[in-house]
């Protein structure tokens, strides 16, 4: 039912074979779960659940069938009674990280929630023998949460106050200077370049913060400047707009 290939453990792929009934019932269940949880466990398992769901939703026209609910109920009944599923089945490809997390999650779910719907329980339990029985380590957790845009604690990266880039390092060496106006349409390009110099990771969260921020600013009134911090290796606060710097 499962086969692992590849050399890099985090990138290795595990192919799971699902019956038509398992794929349909699990896909519907995953869609109902989506966006209902907010703790770290939910975000940790989502990459694996999305991979399972994709095996069905990307390949089957059933999700658009007018009798979808009738077909879903029939599939649930067959899983409940152990009746063989019609159809040729679906392949679901998971990374090793996703497979390890899925195995731990299924075991915890079976023990913590004995009331799990019987057809769902049957489908999940049939997956377990094909999943790896290895520890869910910190590196695995970090990679999975990072793929969902979150840090090891499950916090969205864009909500972190300080973004640091690991490379390239801030520029060192002789400094050069230039002067002149920065047109509004060049604001983002200027801040991206400046961020590179000081080792700050400028991303879409910064652009969102700047949306509309320059409206109503006035370079002749100090209280009407907009200030925005770039917290790199060399912190810098951008006064925007501002009067020309005083000459020494």
């Amino acid at each position: 039912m499962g086969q692992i290939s590849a050399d890099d453990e985090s990138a290795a792929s595990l192919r799971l074979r699902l019956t038509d009934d398992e794929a349909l019932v699990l896909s519907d269940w995953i869609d109902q779960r989506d966006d209902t949880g907010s703790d770290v466990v939910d975000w940790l398992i989502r990459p694996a659940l999305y991979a399972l769901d994709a095996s069905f939703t990307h390949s089957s026209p059933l999700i658009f069938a007018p009798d979808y609910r009738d077909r879903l109920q029939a599939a649930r009944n067959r899983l409940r009674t152990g009746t063989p599923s019609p159809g040729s089945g679906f392949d679901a490809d998971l990374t090793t990280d996703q497979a390890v997390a899925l195995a731990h999650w299924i075991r915890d779910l079976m023990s913590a929630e004995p009331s799990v719907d019987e057809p769902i329980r049957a489908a999940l339990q049939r997956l377990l023998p094909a999943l790896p029985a290895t520890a869910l380590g910190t590196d695995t957790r970090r990679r999975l949460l990072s793929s969902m845009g979150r840090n090891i604690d499950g916090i969205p990266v864009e909500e972190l106050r300080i973004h640091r880039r690991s490379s390239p390092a801030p520029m060192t060496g002789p400094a050069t200077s230039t002067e002149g106006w920065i047109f509004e349409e060049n604001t983002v390009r200027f801040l991206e370049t400046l961020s590179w110099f000081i080792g700050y990771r400028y991303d879409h969260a910064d652009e969102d913060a700047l949306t509309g921020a320059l409206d109503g600013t006035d370079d002749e009134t100090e209280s009407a400047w907009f200030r925005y911090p770039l917290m790199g290796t060399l912190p810098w606060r951008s006064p925007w707009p501002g009067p020309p710097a005083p000459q020494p």
Side-chain angles (χ1 to χ4, degrees):
M1 177 171 174
Q3 183 176 5
I4 299 179
S5 61
D7 296 327
D8 179 12
E9 182 176 351
S10 64
S13 62
L14 171 66
R15 174 160 291 181
L16 299 175
R17 186 69 178 173
L18 304 175
T19 68
D20 284 43
D21 287 347
E22 291 168 344
L24 173 58
V25 170
L26 286 177
S27 175
D28 184 80
W29 179 65
I30 291 168
D31 287 343
Q32 293 181 37
R33 281 185 54 87
D34 196 18
D35 295 330
T36 61
S38 59
D39 62 18
V40 175
V41 174
D42 282 300
W43 289 106
L44 191 66
I45 194 59
R46 286 190 186 198
L49 295 182
Y50 289 163
L52 288 178
D53 187 31
S55 69
F56 176 77
T57 57
H58 292 179
S59 306
S60 176
L62 280 183
I63 56 175
F64 302 110
D67 58 346
Y68 171 83
R69 286 297 163 191
D70 292 338
R71 292 177 182 241
L72 175 63
Q73 188 58 51
R76 288 172 53 81
N77 291 339
R78 285 191 291 268
L79 284 174
R80 184 180 291 109
T81 59
T83 304
S85 170
S88 56
F90 297 88
D91 288 327
D93 293 321
L94 281 68
T95 66
T96 301
D97 284 348
Q98 293 169 355
V100 169
L102 182 62
H104 281 261
W105 181 75
I106 291 176
R107 294 188 185 98
D108 290 344
L109 186 69
M110 296 297 103
S111 60
E113 300 185 28
S115 60
V116 172
D117 189 56
E118 188 175 348
I120 300 299
R121 178 181 290 270
L124 291 176
Q125 285 182 328
R126 204 178 80 83
L127 295 178
L128 269 178
L131 297 173
T134 53
L136 182 58
T138 301
D139 288 342
T140 299
R141 292 170 58 88
R142 182 178 290 108
R143 286 191 295 264
L144 288 170
L145 289 168
S146 177
S147 72
M148 299 300 293
R150 294 173 179 262
N151 72 357
I152 191 64
D153 298 315
I155 301 173
V157 173
E158 61 266 23
E159 291 183 8
L160 300 178
R161 296 187 61 186
I162 298 178
H163 301 270
R164 294 185 182 271
R165 63 161 71 231
S166 57
S167 64
M171 186 176 181
T172 59
T176 59
S177 63
T178 187
E179 64 181 39
W181 290 101
I182 299 172
F183 295 104
E184 185 172 346
E185 59 267 25
N186 295 330
T187 301
V188 171
R189 178 63 61 85
F190 168 73
L191 292 177
E192 287 176 339
T193 302
L194 179 62
S195 297
W196 185 88
F197 278 111
I198 66 172
Y200 174 78
R201 179 188 171 189
Y202 186 93
D203 59 21
H204 65 87
D206 296 287
E207 292 190 27
D208 290 344
L210 290 170
T211 300
L214 302 184
D215 298 344
T217 56
D218 184 354
D219 65 331
E220 296 182 354
T221 305
E222 185 173 353
S223 61
W225 294 0
F226 171 75
R227 291 175 171 83
Y228 189 74
L230 300 177
M231 302 300 292
T233 304
L234 301 173
W236 188 82
R237 185 178 294 273
S238 167
W240 208 281
Q247 297 298 318

